[in-house]
Amino acid sequence: MNLDDKYLRDSGRIILNGPQALTRLLIAQKRLDRAAGLNTAGFVSGYRGSPLGGVDQALWAAGKLLDAHDVRFLPGVNEDLAATAVWGTQQANMREATAVSRGRFDGVFAMWYGKGPGVERSGDAIKHANVFGTSAKGGVLAVAGDDPLCKSSTAVHQSEFVFQAAMVPVLAPADIQDMLDFGLAGWAMSRASGAWVGIKVVSDIVESTATVDVDPGRARFLAPEGVAAPPDGLHIRWPDVPLAQEERLLSFKLPMVRAFARANGLDRLVINSARPRLTIVSAGTAYQDVRQALDLLGIDDAAAGELGLRLYKLALIWPVEPEGLAARCAGVEEVLVVEEKRGFIETQIRD
C-alpha cells in the first residue's frame, strides 16, 4: 500500500475524502478511455469555496499523477471564466480534422466546480455551454458544492434549481461511493446525450472520508437503445442557432439522459415489499437521513418489507426518470418524498 493507491488502485477498497474523490475521477476516466482505445485528455477548472475549498489543494498535490494522465488543472479567476474555459474544451474537435487543425487528442473530458453561489453567478456561461453541447468523446461534469445547513456560507443554497433553469441534468450522490460512481456515469451520460451533467455534493458528503469499492465493473455503462436522435447527432457543432439548440435539447438530449439513467439502473429500489402500501422517494443526503430514521425506529429492510414500505433512491433528480418511478409507485396508497430544502423532486413527481 502507498499514498497513490487512492488514485491508481483499480480493484478492492480504498479510503479517500471528497476532494480526493473528485481528483480520482479525472484519473479514472483517463484510464477507462485508454483501456477503450481512446486517446483523451482531461481538463478541470473552478473556483474554491467551502464545501469545495479543498479541491484545488487535492489537485495540486496530485499534480504529477494528473500530468501523467494528460489532465490539466487551471484554477479559475472566478467561476464564470472557469465555466467558459470548460466550454472551450468541448470545441477542441469541432473543426474539420485537417493536418493543420487536427487536435492531439480524440476529445477532452472536463470538470467544472464551484460552491452554490458560484453556480448562480455562472448561470450565463453554464446555460450557453449546455445548449451548445459537449463532444462525443469529451463530456462535462459540473460539480456544485452545496451547504444546505449554512455551516460555512453567507447564505443557504440549493443548486439544482439553477441547473434546472439552465436545463442541465443533475445527479445527487448520497456518499463518497456515489460521488465516484455518479461521476463516471455523469461523463458517460454527457457523452451519450451531448449535455452537461451537474453533480450536487453537499458539505456532509464532500467534507467526509470513507472507504469505497473501486471494482472496474462499477464503471461499465450501457448505451440506451431505441432512443430518437436527429440526423446530425446530439453533440456540439458550428454553425448552430438558438432555436435548433433548444429543440435538440428538449426533444432529444433530455430524453437521452432519462434513457441512459434507465438503461444503467442509476435509480435503485433499495427496499421492496410484496404488499406495498407506501413508497418513500429520496436522494442525496436526505436518503441517508431516511435510512437513519428507519434505523432509529428499529425498522430493518425485512421489517420494512413486512410493513409494506418501498424505498426508492434517485440518482437523477432532474429530469426525473418517469418509467422507473411509475413502476415503484404502482399499487401503493401514498408516496412520501423526503428531500432537502424546497420541494424539487416532489413537484416533478406530482406533475
Side-chain angles (χ1 to χ4, degrees):
M1 297 287 288
N2 63 66
L3 293 177
D4 288 341
D5 279 352
K6 61 181 173 287
Y7 297 133
L8 300 179
R9 189 168 181 176
D10 56 10
S11 64
R13 299 192 69 83
I14 59 172
I15 183 169
L16 74 177
N17 59 34
Q20 291 167 349
L22 296 177
T23 304
R24 180 184 167 90
L25 277 174
L26 294 154
I27 295 171
Q29 184 61 52
K30 172 65 179 186
R31 290 158 73 95
L32 286 173
D33 285 345
R34 187 181 287 159
L38 292 177
N39 179 30
T40 59
F43 180 80
V44 54
S45 186
Y47 189 78
R48 71 176 70 87
S50 179
L52 297 177
V55 174
D56 51 0
Q57 287 96 331
L59 292 167
W60 278 319
K64 291 182 179 179
L65 283 176
L66 294 177
D67 289 342
H69 289 82
D70 298 315
V71 176
R72 173 82 183 277
F73 171 41
L74 183 65
V77 175
N78 56 45
E79 296 91 344
D80 317 27
L81 291 176
T84 305
V86 166
W87 179 11
T89 65
Q90 303 307 293
Q91 303 173 37
N93 298 85
M94 201 164 59
R95 296 174 294 178
E96 291 186 17
T98 65
V100 175
S101 66
R102 185 169 54 244
R104 294 169 51 205
F105 299 98
D106 297 331
V108 180
F109 56 91
M111 177 188 292
W112 175 90
Y113 65 90
K115 68 181 298 180
V119 180
E120 294 164 2
R121 66 164 285 164
S122 303
D124 181 16
I126 291 173
K127 183 180 181 71
H128 280 84
N130 183 52
V131 295
F132 267 90
T134 64
S135 64
K137 297 176 183 176
V140 173
L141 290 183
V143 182
D146 273 356
D147 185 11
L149 296 179
C150 205
K151 294 193 302 183
S152 57
S153 305
T154 55
V156 297
H157 32 88
Q158 193 174 5
S159 295
E160 54 263 45
F161 286 95
V162 183
F163 281 138
Q164 181 189 36
M167 292 186 284
V168 173
V170 187
L171 297 169
D175 51 28
I176 300 289
Q177 182 73 68
D178 280 354
M179 283 182 64
L180 292 177
D181 294 343
F182 293 1
L184 295 176
W187 269 314
M189 177 184 285
S190 180
R191 290 177 176 182
S193 66
W196 279 40
V197 173
I199 303 282
K200 172 188 168 73
V201 293
V202 304
S203 47
D204 285 353
I205 298 173
V206 76
E207 293 175 348
S208 67
T209 299
T211 59
V212 296
D213 182 6
V214 292
D215 186 277
R218 304 182 74 95
R220 296 193 181 106
F221 303 107
L222 301 174
E225 296 180 355
V227 185
D232 54 353
L234 298 171
H235 299 92
I236 194 168
R237 82 284 310 276
W238 184 261
D240 205 4
V241 295
L243 291 180
Q245 291 172 350
E246 182 183 52
E247 181 181 6
R248 193 180 308 118
L249 180 57
L250 294 176
S251 299
F252 299 104
K253 291 185 178 182
L254 293 179
M256 180 63 79
V257 165
R258 295 187 184 98
F260 182 94
R262 184 167 58 249
N264 289 282
L266 298 188
D267 301 329
R268 293 193 300 114
L269 183 62
V270 181
I271 298 176
N272 198 7
S273 173
R275 299 178 299 278
R277 296 188 299 122
L278 170 69
T279 293
I280 300 176
V281 181
S282 196
T285 52
Y287 163 77
Q288 300 287 21
D289 294 340
V290 171
R291 295 310 305 250
Q292 183 177 7
L294 292 175
D295 286 343
L296 291 172
L297 291 168
I299 301 174
D300 60 14
D301 291 4
E306 289 295 320
L307 291 169
L309 187 152
R310 281 177 175 161
L311 177 57
Y312 192 43
K313 179 191 176 193
L314 296 185
L316 181 67
I317 63 171
W318 191 85
V320 168
E321 195 284 299
E323 293 185 21
L325 176 72
R328 273 61 180 186
C329 295
V332 301
E333 301 168 8
E334 191 172 8
V335 177
L336 173 65
V337 182
V338 182
E339 56 185 321
E340 300 165 6
K341 298 297 179 184
R342 291 176 288 167
F344 182 77
I345 297 169
E346 179 186 14
T347 54
Q348 295 180 72
I349 294 174
R350 185 184 64 213
D351 291 345

